Amino acid sequence: MTLKTRVTDLLGIRYPIVQGGMQNVGYASLASAVSNAGGLGLITALTFPDPEALARELALCRSLTNAPFGVNISVFPTMRPPDYGAIVDVVADAGVTVVETAGTPEVRGVWDMLLARGMTVVHKCTSVRHAVSSQKYGVHAVSIDGFECAGHPGEDDVPGLVLIPAAVDALDVPVIASGGIADGRGLAAALALGADGVNMGTRFCATVEAPIHDRVKQAYVDGSETDTDLLFRPFRNSARVGRNSVSQEVLRRLAVPEPRFEDVAQLVSGLKGKELLKSGNLDSGIYWSSMAQGLIHDIPTCADLIERIVRDAREIIGGRLAAMLAH
């Protein structure tokens, strides 16, 4: 069983399903499981302390799958910028040909290096204007991230039902729908809206192979679509996370006339978030979560999840919708 689109052709995969790049989650164990199941698994480059550690993880992933997998490289403001040139060299040397990018306009420097090496670039962004700019620069596909997504949804607050077809109308390159997608209905809907595939992050966190604590996985199962918080809105750097005591305290501290990031920096530190994923202590930091958690009801293997999604999408497309056509 296959599902053929421009994305499956571009990425060399069986199903048009991409595992989103996720900090401290995108390891070889998850990426290889997704790729073995017919999707595209992604290893998140900035999870690793240096290019050498990334190289070891890429070698491990290659030992676990013969299928294509990719790497996520994100560019965000930081006091100690990573050596992106060394990262790209490691990725190229590992024989990886697909890279998902995200971040500030400085990502163009990474694009230059990737495109010079003939790599396939999928850029994730949150607005049509940025998608169009990315296409003009030469990326091969756009992953358009709706307001429902985990992580950074941008500041326009446009949900997928509008953002996906708006991006499709404006672009010639394949569009991958991202944000709020967790099942076959989401895949079928994305294809109906003109996308050529879907990107899922939160849904893959609630799988057997996700390298995070079982209590975190269960939190995704237990959470509803309303159990997320949007942090950092006063700084125009909105971030959607799973609701817990820490996210609520961050909102409380920032609900003042002149909020300062320094007042919450310790609560939202990346080190605390990384430790939360390992320890399962859900009130020790913040963790990313999409509104799609309201559609997550179990913790399957990646293979079972992907097969179910594709089977359900095919039934919707070829069965339920086809039956509505009057003759």
Side-chain angles (χ1 to χ4, degrees):
M1 181 173 66
T2 61
L3 197 56
K4 182 178 175 64
T5 72
R6 290 193 296 169
V7 162
T8 60
D9 290 343
L10 177 68
L11 304 181
I13 54 180
R14 194 158 73 249
Y15 305 134
I17 297 174
V18 178
Q19 167 235 317
M22 296 177 284
Q23 189 82 349
N24 302 315
V25 180
Y27 289 93
S29 57
L30 179 60
S32 62
V34 172
S35 290
N36 283 331
L40 184 78
L42 292 178
I43 289 177
T44 305
L46 299 191
T47 288
F48 304 94
D50 51 56
E52 292 74 23
L54 172 60
R56 291 192 293 272
E57 196 72 12
L58 295 175
L60 174 59
C61 195
R62 177 56 66 208
S63 74
L64 296 172
T65 182
N66 292 319
F69 65 89
V71 173
N72 165 276
I73 302 177
S74 295
V75 179
F76 293 110
T78 177
M79 293 181 65
R80 298 174 60 186
D83 186 344
Y84 288 107
I87 290 172
V88 171
D89 286 343
V90 162
V91 173
D93 290 345
V96 174
T97 60
V98 178
V99 173
E100 176 193 69
T101 60
T104 65
E106 282 68 33
V107 75
R108 292 186 179 94
V110 174
W111 290 346
D112 289 339
M113 292 183 279
L114 296 172
L115 294 173
R117 287 166 171 79
M119 293 186 178
T120 298
V121 179
V122 178
H123 184 59
K124 180 183 283 188
C125 51
T126 61
S127 70
V128 174
R129 64 185 182 280
H130 292 151
V132 170
S133 175
S134 303
Q135 175 180 268
K136 288 180 179 177
Y137 205 88
V139 306
H140 302 91
V142 165
S143 183
I144 197 74
D145 220 357
F147 182 60
E148 306 92 334
C149 72
H152 298 282
E155 308 305 316
D156 296 334
D157 298 358
V158 182
L161 195 62
V162 172
L163 186 60
I164 297 164
V168 169
D169 287 347
L171 299 172
D172 297 314
V173 298
V175 171
I176 299 172
S178 181
I181 297 167
D183 56 26
R185 294 171 296 182
L187 174 55
L191 297 176
L193 293 172
D196 286 285
V198 297
N199 178 300
M200 301 191 306
T202 300
R203 188 59 188 96
F204 279 121
C205 287
T207 58
V208 170
E209 294 91 348
I212 60 180
H213 199 281
D214 286 346
R215 282 198 291 269
V216 182
K217 298 179 186 183
Q218 190 60 43
Y220 291 121
V221 175
D222 295 340
S224 78
E225 65 277 9
T226 61
D227 291 326
T228 68
D229 284 325
L230 273 176
L231 308 184
F232 315 140
R233 301 230 86 183
F235 313 124
R236 295 191 61 78
N237 187 31
S238 297
R240 188 179 301 283
V241 302
R243 179 171 297 153
N244 62 7
S245 63
V246 177
S247 67
Q248 291 284 288
E249 176 62 15
V250 171
L251 290 176
R252 188 190 68 79
R253 292 189 187 186
L254 295 181
V256 295
E258 296 183 7
R260 302 183 310 160
F261 182 75
E262 292 81 2
D263 294 333
V264 299
Q266 186 177 8
L267 294 175
V268 301
S269 77
L271 288 177
K272 284 192 172 183
K274 182 176 182 179
E275 181 58 30
L276 181 154
L277 295 177
K278 290 183 177 180
S279 70
N281 181 353
L282 293 170
D283 290 305
S284 61
I286 60 171
Y287 65 97
W288 306 116
S289 185
S290 159
M291 288 181 175
Q293 68 179 11
L295 304 174
I296 297 173
H297 307 299
D298 61 356
I299 304 172
T301 65
C302 290
D304 287 344
L305 175 63
I306 289 176
E307 289 295 330
R308 180 204 306 167
I309 288 174
V310 173
R311 181 182 66 246
D312 290 350
R314 286 170 60 95
E315 171 53 32
I316 291 168
I317 297 166
R320 183 171 184 269
L321 297 182
M324 295 178 182
L325 297 175
H327 296 285

